[in-house]
Amino acid sequence: MIHNGIHHVTAIAGNARRNVEFYTRTLGLRLVKKTVNFDDPGTYHFYYGDEVGSPGTILTFFPWDHVAPGRLGVGETQETVFRVPEGAIGYWTQRFVEKGVTHQAPVKRFGESVLSFKDPHGMRLALVAVPGIENEPGWTDGEIPAEAAIRGFHSVNLLLAEAAPTGAILTDVFGFREVGREGSLVRFAVEGQAIGGVVDIHEAGGFLPARMGGGSVHHIAFRAEDDAAEAAMVKKLQENHGIRTTEQKDRNYFRSVYFREPGHVLFEIATDIPGFAADEPVASLGQALKLPAFLEPQRARIEQVLPEIA
Ligand code: ZN
């Protein structure tokens, strides 16, 4: 079992209801946790993923009504990419046309078909066709056929001035290695990790800096099997790269540290444990508003300020 790769991606959305509708209905992901931003409890924190919210399948959002749109630039995530079975690209293209989802014609990247699209708040996403994954379990609530359903993350694409400094962190600390180059892209992968095992760095040199806002990725979290593995990564970051992380924060479903990587993207290290069934059964994940123990005394007030999403 390999416990490296992407754990989750967290992004900024606009209206909460539209966010839930797009990710659960249009894309067919499962809402596996409905909670609040622990650091800003008047804001929802939604987690979408596969049936149980496995590491490598989790896309999370802070939805803010009236958020100003972000502007793509150097030092941020350019695209977040999901895996779908090879035969499903036609299905998804058709679906995006029917649902009015902004998308581009499929292109080839590292020999794979990539269908880029945007969510309602401008987040840059893509589907990549991966051969031989038809039999991997895919979450479906019935609307999207299981054979076309999303199978977790393929990769994230980071738009950076240069690849080497960030690449050094990926390879030395997170278990990736450089596996290919194509144009201005440098591909890093975790050997044997099919889900969330790829990071592409798009070298852009001195392009405009990013401005974070609606549709922007807030941070990328990488996996650590447990607290000991996370502590070892923290030690390596400090000793080999002179990077200090935050202290560990308990996010209820994983335990995390954060740091700004050399290319300016906010990185997190998140433990695979305890997972999303820590405070509610798998069968009813995402249905009730879950709060960490320290916020339970404020539940009534929090529920009052959160926007309606049903
Ligand atoms: Zn996170």
Side-chain angles (χ1 to χ4, degrees):
M1 221 24 190
I2 298 157
H3 296 270
N4 284 125
I6 298 163
H7 183 282
H8 65 267
V9 174
T10 293
I12 299 167
N15 180 264
R17 188 197 303 244
R18 284 192 78 192
N19 180 259
V20 173
E21 204 175 270
F22 183 80
Y23 286 95
T24 61
R25 308 278 312 206
T26 306
L27 290 192
L29 301 180
R30 187 178 192 195
L31 179 63
V32 293
K33 194 64 64 182
K34 185 165 61 180
T35 183
V36 295
N37 182 338
F38 292 4
D39 303 320
D40 172 20
T43 299
Y44 272 121
H45 193 178
F46 298 139
Y47 291 80
Y48 304 97
D50 67 0
E51 183 179 11
V52 299
S54 308
T57 73
I58 311 155
L59 177 57
T60 100
F61 287 93
F62 301 129
W64 284 307
D65 267 328
H66 315 301
V67 67
R71 183 191 65 201
L72 176 65
V74 161
E76 72 169 335
T77 303
Q78 181 170 8
E79 195 170 65
T80 300
V81 186
F82 293 104
R83 307 157 78 233
V84 296
E86 197 173 24
I89 288 288
Y91 168 86
W92 283 102
T93 307
Q94 181 69 30
R95 185 169 180 82
F96 290 164
V97 171
E98 281 168 9
K99 302 276 180 189
V101 176
T102 305
H103 64 283
Q104 292 169 15
V107 296
K108 289 277 181 196
R109 204 185 286 161
F110 291 101
E112 299 165 321
S113 290
V114 181
L115 170 60
S116 294
F117 64 104
K118 283 187 178 172
D119 85 355
H121 302 116
M123 182 175 179
R124 295 169 299 275
L125 299 159
L127 302 175
V128 58
V130 179
I133 65 168
E134 303 76 22
N135 296 325
E136 288 182 15
W139 166 259
T140 175
D141 64 357
E143 187 175 332
I144 291 166
E147 58 266 27
I150 285 171
R151 264 76 166 176
F153 288 127
H154 173 269
S155 56
V156 290
N157 181 315
L158 309 179
L159 182 64
L160 305 179
E162 47 177 347
T166 304
I169 307 287
L170 293 174
T171 51
D172 183 45
V173 183
F174 293 145
F176 288 76
R177 64 187 184 88
E178 187 184 320
V179 295
R181 286 179 182 247
E182 189 176 286
S184 53
L185 290 178
V186 187
R187 172 158 289 189
F188 296 85
V190 176
E191 205 171 347
Q193 181 55 274
I195 297 183
V198 174
V199 173
D200 286 338
I201 297 182
H202 180 180
E203 283 194 302
F207 194 64
L208 273 179
R211 187 182 62 211
M212 198 155 282
S216 301
V217 168
H218 185 267
H219 62 265
I220 306 285
F222 292 91
R223 297 173 62 179
E225 182 174 7
D226 53 21
D227 295 312
E230 184 169 284
M233 290 173 172
V234 168
K235 191 162 180 269
K236 237 178 188 179
L237 277 169
Q238 185 161 0
E239 287 179 357
N240 300 356
H241 305 275
I243 292 174
R244 294 184 70 100
T245 67
T246 63
E247 60 183 26
Q248 195 190 54
K249 295 176 194 286
D250 185 355
R251 298 316 194 183
N252 256 24
Y253 316 107
F254 43 84
R255 293 182 286 275
S256 299
V257 300
Y258 302 82
F259 66 98
R260 190 69 65 178
E261 57 85 26
H264 301 295
V265 178
L266 184 60
F267 277 2
E268 171 181 349
I269 307 171
T271 56
D272 281 359
I273 52 170
F276 292 93
D279 60 356
E280 58 185 336
V282 167
S284 57
L285 282 177
Q287 289 174 19
L289 177 70
K290 304 306 290 186
L291 296 176
F294 76 95
L295 289 174
E296 271 301 343
Q298 301 173 49
R299 176 175 282 272
R301 199 152 56 93
I302 288 169
E303 287 180 345
Q304 215 171 23
V305 300
L306 288 172
E308 281 287 324
I309 55 167

